Amino acid sequence: MKPLTRLDANFSASPQIDAEDLPDIKAAGFRSVICNRPDSEDGGTHADHHLLEEAAKKLGLEFAYLPIVPGQINATNIASFKTIVANLPAPTVGYCRLGIRSKTLYERSR
């Protein structure tokens, strides 16, 4: 599993994950995953969110997709993130390329 930044008991941020990370995420007690990385970022060289969503659901994890372009977090993104987090079972791990967007979204949504 990638190194996580625990922000509180309900949310941690992670750099890009792969399907192979999901069993460890589940074993660590997480119940939900949020992807904050657009599929097209970096030419799409990372795992597509559809692939990760399918793998997560097979493990019984909830999954949400809220793609954020780096450096462009706005009030609408924060409101959407807040709604998603409120409707997903906790604890949740959010991921993007480095984990910074997920961490920023969570902090700003508080």
Side-chain angles (χ1 to χ4, degrees):
M1 184 166 68
K2 305 291 189 283
L4 301 178
T5 300
R6 183 180 170 150
L7 300 175
D8 64 27
N10 292 314
F11 191 85
S12 295
S14 172
Q16 177 67 48
I17 63 170
D18 296 309
E20 296 79 27
D21 296 312
L22 290 167
D24 291 334
I25 289 169
K26 170 88 174 177
F30 290 97
R31 297 176 60 205
S32 302
V33 176
I34 302 173
C35 173
N36 295 126
R37 190 171 191 195
D39 287 335
S40 60
E41 188 175 288
D42 293 340
T45 58
H46 58 280
D48 181 279
H49 87 275
H50 294 293
L51 171 85
L52 292 174
E53 180 175 19
E54 182 179 328
K57 289 188 174 187
K58 284 181 182 176
L59 292 170
L61 293 165
E62 295 292 321
F63 191 95
Y65 181 58
L66 179 63
I68 305 295
V69 175
Q72 296 185 21
I73 295 173
N74 59 42
T76 301
N77 301 144
I78 294 165
S80 295
F81 184 85
K82 190 173 186 174
T83 299
I84 289 169
V85 168
N87 289 308
L88 289 175
T92 301
V93 61
Y95 76 89
C96 55
R97 181 172 176 260
L98 299 174
I100 296 168
R101 280 169 275 181
S102 298
K103 179 180 182 282
T104 301
L105 282 164
Y106 189 75
E107 290 172 342
R108 290 188 185 173
S109 72
R110 299 281 141 223

